[in-house]
Amino acid sequence: MAAPVALIQGASRGLGLQFCKHILKHRTTAVVIATCRNPEHAAELRDLSDRHPGNRLTVLRLDVNREEDVRGVADRVRESFGRLDLVVNSSAVLHPSGKGETSLRDVTAQGVISTLTTNTVGPLVVAKYLAPLLQKGGGGFGQQPAEKSKRHSGVIVNITAKVGSIGDNGLGGWYSYRMSKAALNMATRNLSIELGRSRPKVVCVSLHPGTVDTDLSRPYHRNVPKDKLFAAELSVSRLMSIVDSLNMERTGRAFNWDGTELPW
């Protein structure tokens, strides 16, 4: 069986970087393609690449706000690998200002548009160009049932957030970020329907990593209980356990880091 190929979008830091580390460490035959906006400034990712010579880790430039970048990466992957087994969309912004809106008076059209562009439109465009490569995958991630009709060729993971759950929203605020993640969940659902009809099929899920010790959440750590603040390594380990359990019966859903289903 050919080595599984995973592409991690937003791999320069935080969860994305940890996904790369986890797969390289625990999937010793897997190949990782790490993408980020500025590879030359991604010191940790460059260091990881130096420690994995050969073709186990490939770093490519990708700004999800530029469709031509996404198209170019898809062409590179097609030429070099011919397929994908896993795509993780992990890059996100809280807000261009770095602070979520606490009330309606803080909302600006440009802030909402910018957040939606990165958090929602970007992953959807990534899916558009990479889905054909996932349909050529070998199903190297997730569970494969005995029945051929229920098997999948690849997996799309969109990193969502609990604050994007409409059913769970009891506090309000953070308009741009909440809206972008709610819209991302809808994109995941739509993708699961279309790519669930395709042959071969692709599993599509949204995963909530919990509150993780990353640059995005760091300004709000003082309000998070210590037992609810996760290191990126722990969060990704739990998320990959969910990925390993995926099949076509679980596509189109959102899951918390602990495997429980997150309400839309």
Side-chain angles (χ1 to χ4, degrees), residues 64-168:
V64 293
N65 295 333
R66 294 167 51 88
E67 186 166 354
E68 59 268 33
D69 278 15
V70 183
R71 186 188 302 113
V73 164
D75 290 341
R76 288 280 302 276
V77 173
R78 186 179 299 107
E79 293 167 4
S80 299
F81 302 95
R83 72 187 200 288
L84 286 169
D85 295 275
L86 172 68
V87 171
V88 178
N89 284 302
S90 67
S91 67
V93 295
L94 180 62
H95 187 271
S97 69
K99 182 180 180 181
E101 308 99 328
T102 57
S103 70
L104 189 57
R105 64 177 175 270
D106 299 322
V107 172
T108 65
Q110 189 53 50
V112 175
I113 291 169
S114 179
T115 306
L116 283 166
T117 299
T118 298
N119 295 359
T120 309
V121 179
L124 183 59
V125 173
V126 167
K128 171 186 174 179
Y129 286 99
L130 298 188
L133 291 166
L134 286 163
Q135 290 169 331
K136 296 178 180 178
F141 293 86
Q143 294 180 338
Q144 295 288 11
E147 309 95 305
K148 288 186 178 180
S149 62
K150 295 183 179 181
R151 294 180 185 177
H152 63 271
S153 59
V155 174
I156 294 176
V157 170
N158 288 325
I159 299 299
T160 189
K162 192 175 182 181
V163 297
S165 168
I166 296 173
D168 188 70

